């Protein structure tokens, strides 16, 4: 079965156009997601360029060869920019347009413009670079665990690999200059590859945006809005799971001393800054697997898995001393401190019981003069 190359290009253009319209429609529903706008414009631009290629022989060659290919290269650059935008990096639209601008400049050189081989090699090389760069950007962001991230990297990487293979294939078997370029088998292969890419990109990139939105909603629901640590519900869930998987560990209960006076004397803005500063400092001093949460007001809690009583006491003292040294040059009279109660976990002791023991130790630290650490006696 033989398919007319121009028809394949029109189908390619139509599919790409629909993908672009889908992206832009989604962007209008979520204007803050500029990534969708980049991908939408990229697909619309690509559809326009592909249409120009399909009209080869019906419109002037400078338009179908020079301008249309430049537009397609712009589309790949915009896809790369969209990926950078998704990864919250500067889109660098100037670099995205560089491949097309260089193409336009080269087309003014007769030796390049008249050589189909050179044109194919250059265009394929630029598409490979943009797809490869977009794949790397997606891979660099893998710390953000999104289910479709690796699929997106595979889609971009495979499409770039197709163009990469086209370069040595063209050099080893140069196209015949006396034939209609659209009659080349590569045109049909390119059309099918681009159609598959447009469909896969639409589903995958839309899924990425959706997964990130859902992830951020989950994080917001489990995070204290002011300090960025776990809220009470999220801490309890994490601590119960940690206690269920292990019998050892320690619970630290923190209460900032005389915090009401800080708010009354210096204002709530300073009080909020003190809370944020405490969490930032505690996070930097506690182990990476520490579960830190805000119970409410100026009270915080932390579960340290796999830690002995002596190690928990040392960690608590580090936090207490560091917080007591906190100084604000603009407020030289500001003094802050924290009292800490520690309860050691052991087999059969649930979170509620552990919290009660840590709270009793905290009460003892408060009654003992504040700015100190107290350890609950180990239950028999």
């Amino acid at each position: 079965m033989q398919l007319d190359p121009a028809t394949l290009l029109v189908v390619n253009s139509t599919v790409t156009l629909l993908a672009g319209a889908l992206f832009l429609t989604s962007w209008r529903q979520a204007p803050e997601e500029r990534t969708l706008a980049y991908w939408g414009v990229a697909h619309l631009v690509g559809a326009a360029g592909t249409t120009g290629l399909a009209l080869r022989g019906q419109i002037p060659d400078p338009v179908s060869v020079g301008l249309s290919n430049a537009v397609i290269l712009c589309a790949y650059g915009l896809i790369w920019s969209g990926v950078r935008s998704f990864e919250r990096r500067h889109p660098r639209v100037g670099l995205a347009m560089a491949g097309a601008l260089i193409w336009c400049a080269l087309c003014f050189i007769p030796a390049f413009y008249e050589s189909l081989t050179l044109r194919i090699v250059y265009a394929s090389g630029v598409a490979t670079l943009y797809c490869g760069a977009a794949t790397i950007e997606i891979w660099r962001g893998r710390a953000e665990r999104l289910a479709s991230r690796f699929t997106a990297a595979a889609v971009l990487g495979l499409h770039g690999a197709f163009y990469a293979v086209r370069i040595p294939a063209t050099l080893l078997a140069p196209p015949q200059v006396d034939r209609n370029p659209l009659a080349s088998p590569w045109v049909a292969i390119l059309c099918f590859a681009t159609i598959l890419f447009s469909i896969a990109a639409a589903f995958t990139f839309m899924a990425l945006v959706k997964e990130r939105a859902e992830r951020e909603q989950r994080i917001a629901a489990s995070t204290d809005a002011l300090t960025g640590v776990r809220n009470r519900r999220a801490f309890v869930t994490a601590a119960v799971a940690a206690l269920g998987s292990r019998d050892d560990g320690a619970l630290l209960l923190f209460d900032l001393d005389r915090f009401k006076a800080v708010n009354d004397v210096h204002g709530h803005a300073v009080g909020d800054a003190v809370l944020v500063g405490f969490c930032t400092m505690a996070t930097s001093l506690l182990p990476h697997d520490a579960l830190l949460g805000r119970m409410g007001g100026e009270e915080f809690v932390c579960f340290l898995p796999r830690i002995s009583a002596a190690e928990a006491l040392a960690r608590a003292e580090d936090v207490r001393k560091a917080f007591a040294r906190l100084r604000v040059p603009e407020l030289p009279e500001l003094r802050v401190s924290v009292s800490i109660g520690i309860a050691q976990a052991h087999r059969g002791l649930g979170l509620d019981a552990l919290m009660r023991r840590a709270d009793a130790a905290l009460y003892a630290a408060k009654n003992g003069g504040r700015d100190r650490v107290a350890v609950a006696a180990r239950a028999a």
Side-chain angles (χ1 to χ4, degrees), residues 307-348:
I307 195 170
S308 66
E311 291 173 320
L313 178 59
R315 294 286 189 173
E317 284 290 352
D318 289 342
V319 172
R320 183 191 66 79
K321 292 176 183 177
F323 189 60
R325 290 194 296 267
L326 180 65
R327 296 292 182 270
V328 180
E330 293 79 8
L331 299 170
E333 71 281 7
L334 177 66
R335 294 291 184 271
V336 293
S337 62
V338 61
S339 298
I340 307 172
I342 301 176
Q344 191 71 23
H346 60 81
R347 184 180 297 276

Side-chain angles (χ1 to χ4, degrees), residues 249-331:
L251 188 78
L252 279 61
L253 203 56
F254 306 91
D255 190 88
L256 306 194
D257 298 325
R258 302 183 178 88
F259 184 72
K260 183 178 184 301
V262 173
N263 278 333
D264 292 343
V265 174
H266 301 287
H268 288 280
V270 173
D272 289 348
V274 169
L275 295 175
V276 173
F278 171 77
C279 290
T280 302
M281 178 214 62
T283 301
S284 66
L285 293 174
L286 293 170
H288 72 279
D289 57 352
L291 304 176
L292 180 63
R294 184 183 183 189
M295 300 303 287
E298 68 275 18
E299 190 171 275
F300 298 86
V301 63
C302 178
F303 181 73
L304 300 176
R306 300 180 297 276
I307 195 170
S308 66
E311 291 173 320
L313 178 59
R315 294 286 189 173
E317 284 290 352
D318 289 342
V319 172
R320 183 191 66 79
K321 292 176 183 177
F323 189 60
R325 290 194 296 267
L326 180 65
R327 296 292 182 270
V328 180
E330 293 79 8
L331 299 170

Side-chain angles (χ1 to χ4, degrees), residues 55-70:
L55 296 176
R56 180 75 178 273
Q58 302 177 48
I59 59 176
D61 282 356
V63 176
S64 64
V65 175
L67 183 60
S68 295
N69 281 288

